[in-house]
Amino acid sequence: MKNAPLLEDLELFCAVVRHRSFTATARALGVSNAYVSKRVAVLETTLAVRLLHRTTRTVALTEQGQVVHGWALRILEDVQQLGEAVSAERQEPVGLLRICTSSGFGRNRVSPALSALALRYPALEIQLELLDRAVDLIAEEFHLDIRVGQADEPHLISRRIAANARVLCAAPAYLERHGTPQTLAALAAHRCIVIRERHGDFGRWVLRGPRGEESVKVSGPLSASNGEVVHQWALDGHGIILRSLWDVAPALARGDLVRLLPDYAQPADVYAVYPSRLSASAKVRVCTEFIEAYLA
């Protein structure tokens, strides 16, 4: 390699990997498809490797491309942190901040916090994605994940930012038709509305109670990948749900839902999760602290 790659080309390459398409990348960056193709070709020539497998609809990383992508992410993040380190005011974060979280929690809790954050720090460029699936923070280039439950990935750092728990509840109409379960094991015979969480074993509810941690396998005719849908189905009387208190507390207070087996709950504290290499990032630190204070 005779010449070093340009940072702009590395940024564009990472955008192509993120969007998995030259066309989508061009649209997101406001440039032409020809420009994206040309700069990727220049980067491949500079590094003397083929980075991408191209098809008519999508692109995929080659083996060498995976190596370059990993290095590019580290290099670009180091450059960003360099700017933060020499900034005259480290409490004024600047630059791009990519955040992900689950859809219901994101709409109702995280997005209002980020709205206030944007007003406080106008130099931040905030991108929020609501994803009800497992997320690879590094491969998908996220700086921060606001997650219900802490991370178990060894290369990630979890910081608890809010207390929370999941509880069992159902509508009075359901209980009138099917009765009220008196034990955790009795849930197996009830209609339970299961949500496909971003992280968790589908259909197995693990709760803490008087005898410590217990689990029960549940099922029912309805399931969904969205918590707000599950919540509404419970209000409609379709079955029993296990949902966060932040979500169901108003319905419980109104009597629209009834809490079941109140001695049982599932710990579900809220965590800020980020790659260990971002532990010194000013923008990640400031955002995490801001959201923690906002949720409090």
Side-chain angles (χ1 to χ4, degrees):
M1 184 178 68
K2 296 181 180 180
N3 300 309
L6 296 176
L7 289 177
E8 293 85 351
D9 289 345
L10 292 177
E11 287 178 327
L12 186 144
F13 170 60
C14 289
V16 170
V17 175
R18 183 166 67 249
H19 293 290
R20 300 180 183 179
S21 162
F22 280 20
T23 302
T25 301
R27 188 183 306 116
L29 299 181
V31 297
S32 68
N33 284 11
Y35 178 81
V36 174
S37 181
K38 176 183 176 181
R39 296 318 307 176
V40 170
V42 168
L43 183 60
E44 289 181 321
T45 300
T46 301
L47 298 174
V49 296
R50 185 180 182 186
L51 299 173
L52 299 165
H53 295 297
R54 300 168 177 81
T55 68
T56 55
R57 292 187 177 182
T58 187
V59 296
L61 286 169
T62 64
E63 185 175 348
Q64 295 91 342
Q66 292 176 358
V67 174
V68 173
H69 182 239
W71 276 100
L73 291 176
R74 289 192 290 271
I75 290 168
L76 294 171
E77 194 60 48
D78 285 345
V79 170
Q80 178 67 50
Q81 292 195 38
L82 170 62
E84 294 175 354
V86 299
S87 173
E89 179 53 73
R90 294 194 64 189
Q91 293 305 313
E92 292 293 332
V94 298
L96 176 63
L97 183 62
R98 299 193 71 242
I99 304 169
C100 61
T101 189
S102 56
S103 58
F105 192 69
R107 276 192 292 269
N108 293 291
R109 293 295 190 275
V110 178
S111 64
L114 293 181
S115 176
L117 179 69
L119 292 174
R120 176 76 64 85
Y121 301 110
L124 272 178
E125 179 189 350
I126 300 171
Q127 294 181 359
L128 174 66
E129 292 201 29
L130 307 180
L131 302 170
D132 290 319
R133 59 171 175 80
V135 177
D136 186 333
L137 294 189
I138 294 177
E140 299 182 58
E141 302 176 47
F142 286 108
H143 299 98
L144 186 62
D145 180 6
I146 305 302
R147 183 183 301 184
V148 178
Q150 66 185 108
D152 54 12
E153 299 96 323
H155 59 287
L156 300 179
I157 294 176
S158 297
R159 169 173 169 170
R160 180 181 176 275
I161 60 174
N164 180 46
R166 294 189 180 100
V167 298
L168 297 160
C169 48
Y174 172 84
L175 300 176
E176 290 175 6
R177 292 195 303 271
H178 300 279
T180 301
Q182 300 301 314
T183 65
L184 197 64
L187 293 176
H190 275 265
R191 293 170 172 255
C192 294
I193 309 174
V194 182
I195 181 170
R196 296 184 181 275
E197 298 281 3
R198 293 174 68 194
H199 305 273
D201 185 4
F202 178 76
R204 182 168 298 280
W205 289 350
V206 181
L207 298 96
R208 290 181 184 171
R211 293 181 293 181
E213 193 172 89
E214 299 180 58
S215 68
V216 58
K217 185 67 174 177
V218 299
S219 62
L222 296 179
S223 66
S225 61
N226 181 275
E228 292 171 315
V229 170
V230 167
H231 184 161
Q232 184 58 52
W233 285 347
L235 292 173
D236 294 340
H238 289 293
I240 297 172
I241 59 173
L242 177 66
R243 290 296 293 158
S244 290
L245 274 171
W246 69 262
D247 179 31
V248 298
L252 292 173
R254 293 190 304 266
D256 295 337
L257 293 175
V258 177
R259 183 170 178 181
L260 309 175
L261 302 174
D263 290 337
Y264 288 89
Q266 183 183 83
D269 292 341
V270 180
Y271 287 83
V273 179
Y274 46 90
S276 56
R277 60 182 171 78
L278 296 183
S279 58
S281 171
K283 62 186 176 184
V284 171
R285 183 186 68 250
V286 169
C287 181
T288 298
E289 292 173 351
F290 189 93
I291 295 175
E292 181 177 13
Y294 189 95
L295 295 179

